[in-house]
């Protein structure tokens, strides 16, 4: 399923961090007679390497400058401009300098030759006086428009292959977003988040697409349109500018500690709609490509298929029925929607699968004694998700997002405290570098990009469309959601969500991926302006907006529940506001998945039906029994201190209130009941819900720095067997397992 | 000064992590008539991307497997095989599978065409029916030898461009080596280390070169030589196999806690001789290249020079006088030695310069409040060293080594504790990944490399030569050094150093860099075998060797001095054993550089002459006064607890002995005297040396976990002004500087 939105020519060199570096290792005997050629080639190669280093140095200097300025801003508590906005400004300045200050004329060592090949092959063997050289296709060179900018070697050199963004820079950003998701609040608002992210993004794409189609039609009437611009292009534009950015606003939200529900809604929406937008836009591209192919006749397609050795079915399946590609074709669209679902769920499944595998590996080995090994494993497994998805022709970025969420939800609990810090810090750093790199490149590109098409009418239309699209996403959906939600999304929340829908890295990466046609160039230039505007104006205006809308700030996310408890009417809603699918999931996760994949949760021996006893014993780690029983070791500390998911479990097991009275561990009861019928369990769960929450409210008032050891003195549940001692997994039986001694 | 040892053809694509990804951004209008071509190209590109992902996945799986096995080995305390040896074995297995198990026939989409160009240009413009495509040179394809392996797409794909090693994988390894150097023991043995690393490596290269020349002559006589093998090739081989690897043995040394002096000698030697070998081999290549060029006549050279726009002087300067390049030419050799010194010292200066810059930035900004920013800055600055050196046509790897050492010596003291951990962990991880990647690639390459030349005679000769070369390095130099050293290098130490001279990543990277000629191919294959043998046999035999040679193990590096004190005769030597240049440096560093670049050390106001008072006040941070005076804050803790350099400073200022009697802060006196004549200062230093050492010996008997606060109650030196309060740099005057509150 070839769904990657590559344009024909640019994609010819799909670059990649290391695979791009896989190259032909030179062999063959080398005669002395060509020594002069070699010296010349070598010198050129050295020169090119030297210049590449110098160019990369520019970016590193830019980032260094950004870091120093960010520090100054943070130090002085300036909040009107976020670091990403700053990175853009610096990029802009360097772009101006490169464009107008430096002019390195292009080194014309190229040799032009005519040849009789009918297509441009990816690899070319050139016979130079009896010796064969291999050449790879870099791309088409525009000879029609004689831009003088084009000849500028410097500008040409600082321009990256757009695939760099998808294959190198976006994955760490998206993984970090998934890994740092505050899961408790995310899950509490899951329904609303999914609605905004899926339905909202689709609505927004269509609204923007329609408005832009109107705009383009107007432009054509006025005679302002310099090239083709089809309806599919409009929809594509809608899809790429519908991806909101989780970075800038949320950094501010985080710093100001705004209301956790608002935070969760915005963060969840912006993270997930990136995934939706990327799959949606690739489906649209695919749709367009297939219809283009269809229009060129089946004969040619079959020829292609045979030439490439690709089974015809894999192409035929998505061929739209109609012949004219650029008119809207409902059947093809529905088919494409099927593809969308397939790719999305496939990527999701891959991401979750590698996450689960990592969790199992970290649970059943004692890798936690060696934080370096553990961190390396974690990093490699997370990276392999991306590669696996790309190798299966799914969307790597989407897989990475769900892998990050799974890693955070399960694997994180199995890591040693040292590795927890290391992995968090590693991805934080990678995210920071990648993000600032993208934003400074964005600034640079406004001047260094060589074929901008700025059309005032289109730009104005796009700004209006983006505004309308966002409004059509937020307000109607909020209204519908409020019908179902007990904890309403207030109108001030809606206004902030409307206002703070910034466009960032994903929008940029999607729009720069293909800039081959006039339509795409105009889209790219306009997108750049939209990103600049939203980051500077909306991003900068977020703090005033929050105070204007009188949104609560300074809320500690962990104490939020207790705040909710105090007003008496909302405290029941935390669990109830979620729809039943979530509640089933929540129970299933807590009783089966968490115990299976992590050291936390009740032992599987307690939750699985009796017939699975031996299996359950194999899969339950000794820590789980210890968590259950009287012993208090490091892991139980960890269990309580981890934010988010541990607290979720904490809701259930650590259910003694501050006064020290012991409540029954009702979750276990409900869990073992659930072995019989899940309906009953749910009822029970709901019945206990209220009681539970009051307890949690009380517990959470305690300062979190003080691990509630006394609350761990629960009696073992009646169904749990005596902890059996596995010499392999017991941390106390192995004298060599002391992490201090064996640390690498 | 184009000194990078690129071979003519391979170097044509000098790859690089990101610059390689700088590529031509496609522009130009795209007609509908070529839609079919585009679809075909796109599909090919997708297919290629998919396969690249799959190939990279192989390596990631290999690394994951290695990690899990390492864990098992560490868990079970197997020491006979180090992780790098393990990675090689796995690589070997995958290599066998790829070679004999999978056969993907090469996709013959290449189009062969004859053309009239007389040289192979780096970039080729091909006119395909009126549209121009840009192609880049990948390399020469061997058409002479019709290997069927060559056609295997899979093997071709898993073969990296050798420049990847130099530009991506070696820098983090070498930086980590510099950054993790135990500076105290390193500096104590500096003279010996420099002797082994510089003289030893040169001796070893020549001995190996000569032995190999004998071997090659023999082979020629017997008729075993299948191609040219010149004397310069022999010397080149000597240079590349003289680089010993700091990884494998030292991991074992570290785990066993062997004698610190032995550790320092081996680590220092192996780290520095990597730098020596890389520069030496590139000089040899340069020498060869230049003489080849000279032989082809001056006329052609000038033509080349004019064509390339390179000033003739830059090439002419290294042209050897003789005409026959492959005979030994003394004048050219001496000239090359000058180049060697130039490149080495240039790279060193660049590395130190960026290190110093980072130290200044981290000292004079309060970036330490934001560990993320600080870590990012540190990472970027360290990376920029490499790029800067490459852009200046120095050797990036050497620059990175000295940058690492400078960062560790100065910048590390200015970092917040959080950043200290983060940077150490980050580079530890990068080092781990890069190292295991190289070693598993090494294993893979034994089977996947497509033109091995295994010549039994050459291989036997090489093993003998390597043995002799190592012996000629260690034993004579140790004898000479022992004449000067008070703390003799025992014969058991010498045997261990002889035995444990493993060859690793650097040797491999240098030998794979150029495999174009018969000689280089034979070298590469032989080098591979040498690395395998030394890593498996010598690496595995290190533990038995240590016990056979009755080397002390289980020595705590920090308590070593006290151990030395106990035997009464050696305790004076710690400082005295170093030669006078080191002592001058030591004083200069402590009185000027450390106070200037870090927060530790005596304030500059105390050490600089009075006339520089205002300047000194500007450059001295408040922490320095605090360290000096009565206050006890976080930084003074840090000062004492940091290993290595802090203790070095501790030798001097914190000079109260355990009984609590106060000794004068004589270092300050010597320092201020040094402002007048350095001769006097040295005498004074030597006079105080003995007294000082007894004190240190006593102090170090105290457990290091207990920071010696009472020793900080020194009276401020008479010359120091009252600490003036700079609101910007005073950590207590700024309410926002609390790192907990402002953390990102």
């Amino acid at each position: 399923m070839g769904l990657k939105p590559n344009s024909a020519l640019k994609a010819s060199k799909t670059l990649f961090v290391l695979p791009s570096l896989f190259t032909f290792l030179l062999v063959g005997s080398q005669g002395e007679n060509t020594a002069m050629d070699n010296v010349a080639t070598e010198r050129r190669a050295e020169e090119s390497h030297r210049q590449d280093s110098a160019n990369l140095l520019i970016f590193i200097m830019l980032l260094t400058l950004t870091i120093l300025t960010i520090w100054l801003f943070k130090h002085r508590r300036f909040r009107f401009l976020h670091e990403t906005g700053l990175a853009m400004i610096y990029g802009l300045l360097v772009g101006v300098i490169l464009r107008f200050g430096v002019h390195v004329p292009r080194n014309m060592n190229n040799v032009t030759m005519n040849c009789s090949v009918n297509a441009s092959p990816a690899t070319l063997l050139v016979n130079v006086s009896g010796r064969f050289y291999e050449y790879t296709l870099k791309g088409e060179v525009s000879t029609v428009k004689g831009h003088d900018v084009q000849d500028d070697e410097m500008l040409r050199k600082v321009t990256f292959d757009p695939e760099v963004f998808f294959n190198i820079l976006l994955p760490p950003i998206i993984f970090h977003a998934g890994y740092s998701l505050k899961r408790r609040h995310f899950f509490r608002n899951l329904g609303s988040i999914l609605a905004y992210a899926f339905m909202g993004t689709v609505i927004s794409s269509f609204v923007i697409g329609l408005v832009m189609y109107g705009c383009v039609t107007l432009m054509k009437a006025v005679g302002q349109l310099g090239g083709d611009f089809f309806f599919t292009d409009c929809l594509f534009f809608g899809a790429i500018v519908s991806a909101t950015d989780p970075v800038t606003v949320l950094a501010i939200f985080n710093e100001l500690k705004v209301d956790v529900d608002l935070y969760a809604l915005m963060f969840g929406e912006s993270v997930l709609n990136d995934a939706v937008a990327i799959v949606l836009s690739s489906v649209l591209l695919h749709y367009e490509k297939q219809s283009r192919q269809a229009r060129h006749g089946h004969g040619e397609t079959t020829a292609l298929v045979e030439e490439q050795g690709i089974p015809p079915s894999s192409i035929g399946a998505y061929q739209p029925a109609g012949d004219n590609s650029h008119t809207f074709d409902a059947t093809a669209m529905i088919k494409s929607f099927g593809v969308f679902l397939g790719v999305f769920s496939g990527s999701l499944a891959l991401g979750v699968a590698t996450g689960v595998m990592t969790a199992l590996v970290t649970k059943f080995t004692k890798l936690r004694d060696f934080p370096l090994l553990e961190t390396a494993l974690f990093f490699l497994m997370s990276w392999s998700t991306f590669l696996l998805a790309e190798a299966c022709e799914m969307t790597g970025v989407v897989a990475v997002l769900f892998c990050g969420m799974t890693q955070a939800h399960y694997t994180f609990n199995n890591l040693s405290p040292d590795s927890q810090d290391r992995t968090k810090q590693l991805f934080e750093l990678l995210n920071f570098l990648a993000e600032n790199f993208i934003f400074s490149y964005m600034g640079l590109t406004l001047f260094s990009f060589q074929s901008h098409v700025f059309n005032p009418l289109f730009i104005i239309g796009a700004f209006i469309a983006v505004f309308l699209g966002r409004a059509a996403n937020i307000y109607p959906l909020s209204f519908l959601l409020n019908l179902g939600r007990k904890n309403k999304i207030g109108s001030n929340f809606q206004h902030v969500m409307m206002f703070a829908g910034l466009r960032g890295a994903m929008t940029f990466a999607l729009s720069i991926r293909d800039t081959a046609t006039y339509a795409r160039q105009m889209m790219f230039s306009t997108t750049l302006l939209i990103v600049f505007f939203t980051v500077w104006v909306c991003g900068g205006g977020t703090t005033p907006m929050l105070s204007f809308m009188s949104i609560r700030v300074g809320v500690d996310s962990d104490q939020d529940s207790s705040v909710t408890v105090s007003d008496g009417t909302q405290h029941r809603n935390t669990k109830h506001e979620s729809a039943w699918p979530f509640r089933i999931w929540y129970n299933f996760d807590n009783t089966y998945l968490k115990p299976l994949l992590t050291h936390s949760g009740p032992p599987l021996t307690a939750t699985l039906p009796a017939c699975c006893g031996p299996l359950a014993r194999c899969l339950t780690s000794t820590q789980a029994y210890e968590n259950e029983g009287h012993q208090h070791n490091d892991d139980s500390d960890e269990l309580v201190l981890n934010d988010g998911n541990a607290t979720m479990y904490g809701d259930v097991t650590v259910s003694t209130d501050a006064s020290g009275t012991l409540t029954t561990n009702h979750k276990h009861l409900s869990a073992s009941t659930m072995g019989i019928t899940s309906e009953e369990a749910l009822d029970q769960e709901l019945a206990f819900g209220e009681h539970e929450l009051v307890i949690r409210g009380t517990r959470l008032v305690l300062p979190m720095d003080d691990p509630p050891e006394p609350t761990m003195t629960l009696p073992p549940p009646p169904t749990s067997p005596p902890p059996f001692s596995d010499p392999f997994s017991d941390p106390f039986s192995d004298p060599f397992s002391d992490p201090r001694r064996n640390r690498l």
Side-chain angles (χ1 to χ4, degrees), chain A:
Chain A
M1 306 204 307
L3 277 178
K4 296 166 43 38
N6 294 331
S7 103
L9 294 167
K10 189 134 26 59
S12 59
K13 199 178 178 190
T14 320
L15 282 174
F16 212 73
V17 67
L18 284 175
S20 81
L21 307 170
F22 280 114
T23 189
F24 207 72
L25 192 70
L26 266 187
V27 289
S29 59
Q30 178 185 345
E32 279 293 310
N33 55 341
T34 47
M36 282 308 301
D37 294 358
N38 295 351
V39 172
T41 315
E42 201 165 325
R43 188 146 282 280
R44 267 198 300 270
E46 268 167 27
E47 187 54 29
S48 153
H49 175 78
R50 206 189 56 72
Q51 209 178 3
D52 284 344
S53 302
N55 290 331
L56 195 52
L57 208 55
I58 292 176
F59 283 100
I60 299 222
M61 288 298 135
L62 258 179
L63 289 188
T64 311
L65 206 64
T66 309
I67 288 174
L68 290 177
T69 324
I70 292 168
W71 161 70
L72 211 67
F73 274 41
K74 282 190 185 280
H75 189 73
R76 298 249 176 256
R77 298 224 136 191
F78 290 155
R79 263 205 216 94
F80 63 90
L81 189 59
H82 185 254
E83 57 204 54
T84 50
L86 208 71
M88 284 201 316
I89 291 178
Y90 282 127
L92 217 60
L93 292 178
V94 173
V96 170
I97 293 168
L98 286 185
R99 176 66 177 265
F100 301 109
V102 192
H103 185 82
V104 184
R106 188 165 178 187
N107 196 349
M108 272 301 173
N109 275 320
N110 307 320
V111 177
T112 309
M113 42 192 227
N114 292 296
C115 84
S116 56
V117 280
N118 53 347
S120 52
T123 314
L124 199 68
L125 281 181
V126 180
N127 184 343
V128 181
S129 45
R131 301 166 73 225
F132 288 87
Y133 292 90
E134 191 179 19
Y135 281 83
T136 41
L137 181 63
K138 223 173 174 184
E140 195 185 359
V141 182
S142 161
T143 44
V144 184
K145 305 184 184 182
H147 284 301
D148 65 326
V149 199
Q150 189 92 2
D151 296 331
D152 195 316
E153 185 74 11
M154 195 73 183
L155 286 185
R156 201 178 70 91
K157 279 274 187 179
V158 295
T159 308
F160 283 89
D161 186 297
E163 294 302 307
V164 170
F165 297 102
F166 279 88
N167 296 325
I168 302 171
L169 296 172
L170 276 186
I173 296 179
I174 301 291
F175 183 88
H176 180 72
Y179 197 50
S180 64
L181 205 72
K182 293 199 173 177
R183 285 167 303 280
R184 185 156 62 109
H185 303 291
F186 175 78
F187 283 119
R188 220 163 38 160
N189 295 292
L190 191 67
S192 308
I193 290 170
L194 290 178
Y196 286 125
F198 282 81
M199 292 175 60
T201 307
V202 173
I203 291 171
S204 164
S205 302
F206 273 91
V207 169
I208 295 176
L210 288 172
V211 173
M212 288 323 290
Y213 193 61
C215 177
V216 165
T217 314
L218 178 69
M219 282 163 68
K220 209 176 266 170
V222 179
Q224 283 259 330
L225 202 66
D228 287 336
F229 207 110
F230 300 107
F231 183 61
T232 43
D233 290 328
C234 295
L235 284 181
F236 180 75
F237 182 72
I240 64 176
V241 294
S242 291
T244 56
D245 189 53
V247 177
T248 313
V249 171
L250 295 173
I252 298 167
F253 277 25
N254 214 8
E255 206 170 325
L256 292 178
K257 298 189 191 306
V258 299
D259 187 279
V260 283
D261 281 321
L262 180 59
Y263 185 97
L265 284 175
M266 286 228 51
F267 190 73
E269 187 216 341
S270 54
V271 164
L272 286 180
N273 77 7
D274 277 1
V276 175
I278 190 175
V279 180
L280 201 61
S281 62
S282 72
V283 167
L284 278 167
L285 270 187
H286 187 77
Y287 166 81
E288 193 186 325
K289 189 171 70 177
Q290 292 303 330
S291 37
R292 198 205 299 148
Q293 201 170 311
R295 206 181 30 197
H296 281 265
H298 257 279
E300 280 183 67
T301 312
T302 321
L304 167 81
V305 164
E306 276 160 11
E307 185 199 329
Q308 303 294 321
I310 303 153
S313 63
S314 78
I315 288 190
Y318 313 122
Q319 273 176 9
D323 222 28
N324 184 357
S325 70
H326 294 295
T327 56
F328 185 71
D329 178 346
T331 332
M333 210 60 210
I334 288 168
K335 254 182 196 161
S336 295
F337 185 72
V339 175
F340 167 83
L341 282 186
V343 172
F344 194 92
S345 54
S347 307
L348 189 150
L350 272 180
V352 171
T354 37
V356 164
M357 213 157 77
T358 319
L360 287 175
V361 169
T362 46
K363 183 183 174 188
F364 289 108
T365 61
K366 285 173 67 58
L367 218 55
R368 67 202 317 280
D369 298 339
F370 308 97
L372 175 62
L373 294 182
E374 206 177 30
T375 311
L377 185 91
F378 187 92
F379 177 78
L380 290 175
M381 293 295 280
S382 305
W383 191 18
S384 73
T385 307
F386 179 81
L387 295 174
L388 198 64
E390 293 286 315
C392 299
E393 302 199 3
M394 296 289 168
T395 310
V397 173
V398 176
V400 153
L401 169 66
F402 290 101
C403 176
M405 289 169 67
T406 314
Q407 301 279 38
H409 197 57
Y410 300 115
T411 315
F412 190 80
N413 292 323
N414 298 340
L415 299 180
S416 62
D418 197 359
S419 296
Q420 291 180 343
D421 284 350
R422 284 181 182 219
T423 51
K424 268 197 281 190
Q425 289 168 358
L426 176 69
F427 285 105
E428 196 185 2
L429 180 70
L430 291 179
N431 170 61
F432 177 83
L433 291 176
E435 204 175 274
N436 282 288
F437 187 88
I438 289 189
F439 277 88
S440 63
Y441 185 72
M442 240 184 253
L444 187 81
T445 227
L446 187 63
F447 287 95
S448 74
F449 183 65
Q450 298 175 14
S451 35
H452 274 301
V453 178
F454 289 111
N455 188 318
L457 214 55
F458 189 84
I459 292 166
I460 294 168
F463 272 87
I464 295 171
V466 165
F467 181 82
L468 291 179
R470 184 77 189 159
N473 172 356
I474 298 298
Y475 296 116
L477 279 181
S478 302
F479 175 76
L480 289 176
L481 288 169
N482 277 342
L483 296 181
R485 275 176 79 103
K486 293 206 178 67
N487 177 17
K488 308 288 183 206
I489 300 167
S491 66
N492 55 349
F493 277 31
Q494 293 176 30
H495 296 321
V496 169
M497 288 179 75
M498 169 78 207
F499 180 79
L502 307 195
R503 271 61 172 183
M506 180 59 82
T507 300
F508 173 76
L510 283 173
S511 70
I512 204 180
R513 202 166 193 179
D514 182 355
T515 50
T517 65
Y518 169 80
R520 290 284 147 74
Q521 285 163 14
M522 196 157 69
M523 275 184 212
F524 174 64
S525 307
T526 310
T527 304
L528 217 52
L529 293 182
I530 291 173
V531 173
F532 281 26
F533 179 83
T534 54
V535 169
W536 287 334
V537 176
C538 301
T542 302
T543 315
M545 185 75 184
L546 285 174
S547 60
F548 181 71
M549 287 293 161
S550 56
I551 305 273
R552 281 192 305 165
V553 293
V555 180
D556 184 352
S557 68
D558 286 324
Q559 294 189 340
D560 175 57
S561 305
S562 64
V563 174
T564 321
V565 166
S566 65
D567 69 11
T569 54
Q570 289 194 341
H571 74 270
R572 294 182 183 195
N573 301 337
T574 315
K575 182 157 251 128
H576 288 229
E577 81 195 22
S578 306
W580 59 267
F582 169 62
R583 273 172 289 156
I584 290 181
W585 157 253
Y586 178 91
N587 289 338
F588 181 73
D589 183 42
N590 257 306
T591 43
Y592 297 108
L593 292 183
K594 282 218 167 178
L596 178 64
L597 299 174
T598 71
H599 294 303
S600 62
L604 277 175
T605 42
T607 57
L608 281 178
C611 60
C612 306
L615 182 70
R617 266 193 295 278
C618 288
L619 296 176
T620 306
S621 65
T622 33
Q623 270 120 320
Y625 296 116
E626 284 152 17
N627 296 342
E628 259 285 288
H630 296 258
Q631 277 163 285
H632 172 253
N633 61 17
D634 291 340
D635 297 300
S636 54
D637 266 328
E638 187 191 327
L639 178 76
V640 176
L641 288 174
N642 291 342
D643 87 355
N645 56 355
T647 319
M648 274 184 81
Y649 175 56
D651 300 347
V652 179
T653 319
V654 189
S655 48
T656 331
D657 65 14
S659 66
T661 53
L662 216 65
T663 56
T664 50
N665 199 330
H666 38 71
K667 193 49 155 297
H668 284 297
L669 298 178
S670 76
S672 30
T673 331
M674 217 172 126
I676 310 160
T677 60
S678 69
E679 281 298 320
E680 282 176 45
L682 251 177
D683 287 345
Q684 229 165 340
E685 176 66 30
L686 292 173
F688 277 116
E690 192 179 335
H691 174 56
E692 216 172 73
L693 273 160
V694 177
I695 290 165
R696 184 172 68 173
T698 324
R699 189 178 66 80
L700 282 168
V701 175
L702 297 170
M704 284 307 285
D705 292 346
D706 184 13
E709 285 101 327
T711 62
M712 298 308 288
T713 56
L714 289 170
T719 50
S720 99
F724 84 113
S725 164
D726 174 5
F728 201 79
S729 65
D730 182 355
F732 301 108
S733 69
D734 182 357
F736 304 136
S737 71
D738 177 6
R740 302 275 147 206
R741 284 187 64 183
N742 278 4
R743 187 159 295 170
L744 279 176

